[in-house]
């Protein structure tokens, strides 16, 4: 049945909320306050499909990308950029009200000047569809391939590299991997770029150890794309959703690229976590370090440190930095990054952050400031309890998921108070929200 509805709010991913009787339904690609027509099916489960925007909101704009509906990655492309920033600020504000029953001031979201072509890491999947080689992104939430290499939020170079790879695969008869039959060769291609150093890494993910004709392939690829500085073969024989396997062979160049953030050089390998929006990363880190208001006497813990970026950038403001990170490759990169930049007052430890914190608490080791930047699922209770025992003067909590962040803050508010809340837009046009919270001891 098709009916008219008023969009009354948003869910956690900015899908519009509409009501059919007592049933709540979620509609993508609408704006709060709009009157829309939607096709509703209530059984076997409630679902809604947008059929028409009857009264468009003043912030509605024409999406720039022709794959906007099909892909679903840039869920907010129909909304002007300033309004996207306002919505992210409001989402954070509402989360804090719900969690703490109190209205905290949330600062305006720090946005990008030109919010396009920002990603420094992109992966595309290769698939044979009806005998024809297709490649592109997965449609949001599915394994369907959106057959395009053109994307407005990725580095423009990726488009060129993938187009060349596709052409070479056809010419050199290299097959795409078949997920169901577990046959074929190329599964994914991952491209990492650095705007600052202009270095480019291409990772060819294959489904088996053998890669027939690989020398010819790489030779032709780097001849046609002179921007590429290194090519890696990654072997992923697993059937899970993970894009990368464990085993790698460097086929061309040095096997990694360098980037520069806030004047420091960082080594980026294929597997370590590295922030994907360099322009905004500089703002995020600067803001976090500014909020921490560090002094030369401070000891700093960078928890969930990745390749050590935050700790290394903060190191010149403090006496000593400790970084802790679970992934061995990332810790090795962090140690290398300290060396490359001649930084001597840092140490990096490969450990589960929770276990490390519990040990610190046991040994009565303290830090003046803790900057924590956990993955999407947030931290965990034993980590937070240990943090309450260490009781640093200040905690700066950076989160790529404010929903889990507020849950963690509930524990920390036993001994801390919230001083600043600063969202940063790391992922323009998508529903993702990054948020920094400064906590000081009560
Ligand atoms: N601060 C870094 C990384 C943030 S992403 C940066 O800005 O680049 C979160 C990091 O937490 C990832 O590097 C991930 O490998 C790491 N991680 C995930 N679970 C962890 C755990 N239990 N203990 C320590 N590190 C963990």
């Amino acid at each position: 049945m098709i009916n008219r509805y008023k969009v009354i709010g948003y869910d956690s991913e900015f899908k519009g909320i509409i009501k059919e009787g007592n049933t709540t339904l979620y509609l993508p690609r609408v704006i709060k306050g709009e009157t829309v027509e939607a096709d509703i099916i209530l059984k076997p489960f409630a679902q809604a499909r947008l059929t028409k925007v009857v009264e468009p909101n003043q912030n509605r704009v024409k999406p720039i990308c022709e794959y906007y509906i099909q892909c679903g990655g840039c869920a907010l492309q129909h909304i002007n950029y300033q309004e996207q920033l306002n919505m992210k600020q409001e989402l954070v504000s509402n989360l804090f009200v719900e969690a703490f029953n109190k209205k905290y001031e949330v600062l305006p979201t720090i946005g990008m000047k030109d919010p396009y072509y920002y990603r420094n890491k992109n992966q595309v999947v290769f698939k044979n569809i009806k005998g024809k080689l297709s490649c592109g992104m997965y449609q949001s939430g599915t394994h369907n391939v959106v057959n395009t290499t053109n994307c407005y939020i990725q580095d423009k170079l990726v488009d060129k590299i993938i187009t060349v790879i596709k052409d070479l695969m056809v010419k050199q008869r290299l097959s795409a991997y078949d997920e169901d039959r577990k046959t074929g060769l190329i599964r994914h291609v991952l491209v990492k770029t650095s705007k600052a150093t202009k270095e480019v890494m291409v990772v060819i993910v294959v489904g088996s150890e053998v890669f027939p004709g690989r020398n010819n392939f790489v030779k032709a690829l780097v001849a046609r794309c002179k921007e590429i500085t290194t090519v890696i073969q990654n072997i992923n024989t697993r059937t899970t959703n993970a894009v990368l396997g464990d085993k790698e062979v460097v086929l061309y160049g040095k096997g990694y690229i360098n980037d520069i953030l806030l004047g420091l050089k960082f080594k980026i390998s294929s597997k370590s976590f590295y922030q994907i929006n360099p322009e905004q990363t500089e703002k995020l880190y600067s803001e976090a370090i500014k909020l921490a208001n560090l002094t030369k006497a401070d000891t700093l813990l960078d928890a969930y440190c990745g390749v050590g970026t935050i700790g290394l950038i903060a190191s010149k403001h403090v006496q000593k930095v400790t970084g802790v990170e679970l992934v061995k490759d990332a810790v090795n990169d962090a140690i290398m990054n300290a060396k490359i930049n001649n930084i001597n007052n840092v140490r990096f430890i490969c450990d589960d952050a929770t276990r490390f914190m519990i040990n610190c608490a046991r040994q009565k080791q303290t830090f003046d400031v803790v900057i924590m930047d956990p993955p999407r699922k947030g931290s965990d209770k034993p980590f937070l309890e240990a943090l309450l025992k260490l009781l640093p003067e200040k905690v700066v909590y950076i989160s790529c998921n404010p929903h889990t962040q507020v849950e963690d803050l509930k524990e920390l508010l036993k001994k801390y108070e919230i001083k600043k809340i600063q969202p940063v837009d790391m992922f323009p046009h998508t529903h993702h929200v990054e948020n920094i919270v400064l906590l000081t001891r009560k």
Side-chain angles (χ1 to χ4, degrees):
M1 85 190 148
I2 295 186
N3 270 328
R4 276 194 180 191
Y5 300 93
K6 187 112 183 151
V7 181
I8 55 174
Y10 296 115
D11 76 351
S12 61
E13 296 186 351
F14 295 114
K15 287 202 184 91
I17 296 175
I18 56 172
K19 288 267 189 195
E20 170 60 46
N22 289 328
T23 309
T24 305
L25 294 130
Y26 304 94
L27 264 187
R29 303 189 294 278
V30 296
I31 304 180
K32 193 166 81 176
E34 283 183 333
T35 302
V36 297
E37 274 179 13
D39 190 3
I40 306 288
I41 300 170
L42 291 172
K43 282 188 179 147
F45 53 90
Q47 46 184 313
R49 190 174 59 87
L50 178 68
T51 53
K52 192 175 165 191
V53 178
V54 182
E55 281 170 34
N57 184 284
Q58 70 206 31
N59 291 310
R60 183 170 277 279
V61 292
K62 188 170 179 294
I64 185 169
C65 176
E66 61 179 301
Y67 297 95
Y68 153 76
I69 294 180
Q70 207 187 339
C71 166
C74 291
L76 306 184
Q77 245 188 39
H78 61 288
I79 304 172
N80 82 44
Y81 187 52
Q82 183 53 50
E83 179 59 12
Q84 291 182 24
L85 298 176
N86 298 344
M87 284 162 63
K88 291 183 181 185
Q89 177 188 19
E90 196 181 326
L91 177 139
V92 172
S93 177
N94 290 344
L95 276 176
F96 277 75
V97 170
E98 276 164 38
F100 306 112
N101 224 345
K102 180 173 163 185
K103 185 130 182 87
Y104 286 99
E105 183 196 3
V106 175
L107 294 165
T109 311
I110 299 175
M112 283 185 88
K113 248 195 247 139
D114 181 15
Y116 294 100
Y117 306 110
Y118 57 81
R119 287 187 65 108
N120 58 11
K121 172 190 155 186
N122 299 277
Q123 57 212 23
V124 292
V125 55
F126 285 83
K127 222 175 185 174
N128 247 320
I129 300 174
K130 295 191 184 122
K132 216 172 164 245
L133 181 62
S134 299
C135 72
M137 292 139 267
Y138 281 128
Q139 183 181 27
S140 184
T142 74
H143 264 205
N144 302 334
V145 177
V146 181
N147 191 14
T148 175
T149 54
N150 182 22
C151 168
Y152 286 91
I153 61 170
Q154 82 188 2
D155 192 320
K156 284 180 189 162
L157 195 55
V158 177
D159 191 6
K160 172 179 169 190
I161 292 172
I162 300 299
T163 307
V164 169
I165 289 178
K166 199 172 166 187
D167 184 52
L168 286 175
M169 281 174 72
V170 174
K171 284 201 174 115
Q172 303 191 355
R173 295 174 195 276
L174 296 173
S175 55
Y177 182 78
D178 184 322
E179 266 187 322
D180 303 321
R181 293 202 208 122
K182 321 234 175 318
T183 56
L185 187 65
I186 296 182
R187 298 181 76 152
H188 299 271
V189 169
L190 170 70
V191 183
K192 290 193 180 188
T193 56
S194 165
K195 279 211 174 72
T197 65
K198 305 261 184 300
E199 292 177 348
V200 178
M201 172 199 293
V202 175
V203 184
I204 317 278
V205 186
V206 295
S208 70
E209 300 260 345
V210 277
F211 185 163
R214 112 186 148 180
N215 290 349
N216 278 343
F217 175 76
V218 173
K219 221 163 126 188
L221 175 62
V222 297
R224 282 176 63 181
C225 302
K226 299 246 169 359
E227 301 88 345
I228 297 175
T229 54
T230 191
V231 181
I232 297 166
Q233 174 187 354
N234 178 287
I235 299 143
N236 185 2
T237 51
R238 289 180 293 197
T239 47
T240 61
N241 276 344
V243 170
L244 294 180
D246 293 330
K247 207 169 154 193
E248 286 192 345
V249 189
V250 178
L251 303 180
Y252 176 78
K254 54 193 178 196
Y256 61 88
I257 57 170
N258 292 301
D259 190 30
I260 294 169
L261 285 175
L262 295 164
L264 295 191
K265 199 164 165 182
F266 294 101
K267 179 183 168 207
I268 305 177
S269 54
S270 64
K271 288 186 224 158
S272 303
F273 176 90
Y274 193 77
Q275 299 283 353
I276 57 116
N277 184 336
E279 180 184 326
Q280 293 303 90
T281 301
E282 292 196 329
K283 294 181 196 163
L284 178 80
Y285 290 173
S286 302
E287 203 56 39
I289 290 168
K290 189 176 95 193
L291 290 178
N293 198 13
L294 301 165
T295 72
K296 275 282 182 207
D298 284 339
T299 53
L300 168 69
L301 175 68
D302 178 2
Y304 308 92
C305 70
V307 298
T309 39
I310 300 177
L312 288 165
I313 289 166
S315 66
K316 65 169 184 258
H317 304 290
V318 298
Q319 185 206 122
K320 222 166 72 188
V321 179
T322 302
V324 60
E325 159 67 44
L326 190 59
V327 175
K328 185 99 186 69
D329 279 351
V331 177
N332 287 339
D333 286 355
I335 293 168
M336 181 60 93
N337 287 332
K339 250 192 219 141
I340 304 174
N341 292 291
N342 270 324
I343 296 173
N344 301 314
N345 61 340
V346 297
R347 59 173 187 146
F348 291 102
I349 293 164
C350 184
D351 200 354
D352 167 43
T354 301
R355 197 166 54 195
F356 174 80
M357 292 297 276
I358 292 170
N359 279 335
C360 287
R362 221 176 263 145
Q363 293 160 12
K364 306 223 174 328
Q365 192 185 346
T366 59
F367 298 95
D368 298 305
V369 182
V370 172
I371 298 182
M372 56 187 283
D373 184 10
R376 290 190 64 72
K377 67 177 194 301
S379 190
D380 55 33
K381 190 120 191 258
F383 177 102
L384 300 167
E385 283 169 354
L387 185 57
L388 291 179
K389 283 197 191 125
L390 298 186
L391 216 57
E393 203 63 52
K394 282 168 271 182
V395 176
V396 178
Y397 188 151
I398 304 175
S399 166
C400 55
N401 184 354
H403 297 88
T404 54
Q405 185 184 37
V406 290
E407 290 309 311
D408 288 347
L409 289 177
K410 284 180 185 165
E411 184 68 22
L412 295 182
L413 289 205
K414 288 178 181 164
K415 293 194 179 161
Y416 285 89
E417 52 193 359
I418 296 172
K419 281 289 152 108
K420 280 259 158 63
I421 305 175
Q422 175 68 71
V424 180
D425 194 21
M426 300 295 282
F427 318 100
H429 307 294
T430 77
H431 69 260
H432 294 284
V433 184
E434 187 93 11
N435 192 38
I436 316 174
V437 174
L438 168 68
L439 300 162
T440 57
R441 230 156 57 185
K442 273 187 192 164

